[in-house]
Amino acid sequence: MKIQLLPSTINEYGASTLGQHLTCFVVDDCVAIDAGSLAFSATAAHRERVRDVVLTHAHLDHIAGLPLFIDDLFATLTKPVRIHATQDVIDTLEKHIFNWSVYPRFSELTNDYGPVMEYRAFLPGNEISICHLMVTPVEVNHLVPAAGFIFTDQYTKIALSGDTAEMDEFWAAVNQLTDLSALFVECAFPESMRGLAEVSHHLTPKRLAAELEKFEVERCPVYAINLKPMYREEIIGELTQIKQRDIKILEVGCVYEF
């Protein structure tokens, strides 16, 4: 399985940086998990092949590129872009984004080939088939309805928390997977911003360390994701102090194969 966290932040010279303002993971060049930077950083292969977008939740940094991605492809889509999300997230998109005031309601529009976007609602705990992947959404603890995911291509299993604070259902699900290939888990703020992390339902390195005490799968690589770019170096420095696990940073733009 191949996974890439798409770039989203540029410097004064127009080059992408290691910062991550927006979130979008592309799996095997054909399934996007979240769509924050999908329109901005998609490759030609992504634009040709990605027709399934799986959303963890509806915060802007996870959906910002979705309207523009569909807009770019509107005339050429021979089948609709499928948006997989909970009904809460779908309702938020229809009310606040695809509402004709902020952006066209693509779920009502067609091109010469037919519909350009359709919703596919899922329920946490119910496994679904998306492209060549089997995906199990798991409820996590964020300020809005949100899901993490366990996804597999029948050979490799990956778990991804999405945005979350302390959680239990997610760990109960991943602890059943003795053959887990990698865990992607958020760590958004440093300890100096613990107050903001708490009210916004995010993790800090110390809170992440406490969460990883619940993680029972041994010899599974752990990658920190969703580091706020303004605090990236501070967060990384604090993560290196965690001794229970060797926590790696999932680097923006790198292609990981598991």
Side-chain angles (χ1 to χ4, degrees), residues 117-205:
M117 185 183 84
E118 67 181 31
Y119 294 111
R120 296 196 177 182
F122 60 67
L123 293 172
N126 289 0
E127 186 179 59
I128 53 177
S129 175
I130 301 176
C131 199
H132 64 299
L133 302 174
M134 298 304 297
V135 180
T136 302
V138 184
E139 187 174 355
V140 296
N141 176 22
H142 200 34
L143 202 59
V144 296
F149 300 106
I150 298 166
F151 48 101
T152 178
D153 60 3
Q154 308 304 319
Y155 302 101
T156 301
K157 290 188 178 74
I158 305 290
L160 182 145
S161 72
D163 285 5
T164 189
E166 289 79 3
M167 52 189 173
D168 293 312
E169 290 185 28
F170 181 83
W171 297 121
V174 299
N175 284 339
Q176 300 178 41
L177 307 173
T178 57
D179 55 346
L180 191 64
S181 300
L183 168 69
F184 299 166
V185 61
E186 84 122 78
C187 189
F189 288 104
E191 296 304 323
S192 63
M193 303 296 293
R194 185 181 181 95
L196 180 57
E198 289 176 349
V199 299
S200 59
H201 287 220
H202 283 290
L203 294 175
T204 64

